[in-house]
Amino acid sequence: MPTTTLHTGHVGLNVSDLDRSLAFYRDILGFVLLAEGAQEERRYAFLGDGDSDRPALTLWQQAGKSYEEAAAGLHHLAFSADSVERVREYESALRAHGVTFAHEGVVAHSEGADSGGLFFHDPDGTRLEIFVGHGVKGAPAPHESAPTCGFF
């Protein structure tokens, strides 16, 4: 067995409409388009953070229907921000584009936690989180005994 610790390289999401999803992840969340495949049956987009040419997220237009919460597979995708102020900037941008939140505004990960964030869905219904590790002390926790990111 290898002794190297694995790290997440990138996340690939199946989407039903690449143009719609690309606009969401690029224009609202700020990802940078690195490469795009335009062949009709093989459309995709590689997205990065703008600091390197390494993809962080790939979108594959091959879903026939929206995300299913009850199906096995991806539970949610969480993005880390560097400050609670930055999380609130994302909240404003998401609200301006009519995104519906699972909880009202920035919430704590658990009762009394200093970490927390926003919980919402992308255009295909994939559950997303933008969180920060500190700075939300005193924010409400939607679930008394379970992690907020576990049930939304």
Side-chain angles (χ1 to χ4, degrees):
M1 177 175 277
T3 58
T4 304
T5 301
L6 295 175
H7 302 279
T8 303
H10 69 271
V11 174
L13 296 178
N14 283 339
V15 300
S16 61
D17 182 330
L18 183 64
D19 295 326
R20 179 182 68 179
S21 293
L22 180 56
F24 178 82
Y25 285 96
R26 181 193 57 214
D27 301 344
I28 301 173
L29 296 185
F31 283 95
V32 175
L33 179 63
L34 301 175
E36 185 174 8
Q39 183 182 356
E40 193 52 41
E41 275 107 42
R42 302 203 183 282
R43 293 194 65 213
Y44 65 88
F46 289 170
L47 304 173
D49 61 10
D51 291 334
S52 75
D53 60 355
R54 193 177 121 228
L57 182 65
T58 57
L59 305 175
W60 306 95
Q61 183 172 294
Q62 55 188 9
K65 57 185 177 178
S66 294
Y67 174 82
E68 293 184 39
E69 290 182 12
L74 180 72
H75 179 274
H76 76 284
L77 177 55
F79 300 109
S80 175
D82 58 2
S83 69
V84 71
E85 291 79 22
R86 187 71 177 123
V87 173
R88 293 192 193 288
E89 289 174 13
Y90 280 109
E91 179 182 10
S92 294
L94 291 161
R95 284 191 193 284
H97 284 84
V99 172
T100 302
F101 293 87
H103 308 293
E104 187 53 41
V106 175
V107 295
H109 278 137
S110 61
E111 198 68 41
D114 194 28
S115 65
L118 300 169
F119 299 86
F120 56 99
H121 299 83
D122 80 357
D124 278 307
T126 302
R127 294 184 287 199
L128 301 176
E129 172 185 2
I130 298 176
F131 76 95
V132 65
H134 57 84
V136 301
K137 192 78 155 177
H143 308 291
E144 188 175 307
S145 63
T148 302
C149 60
F151 301 94
F152 71 98

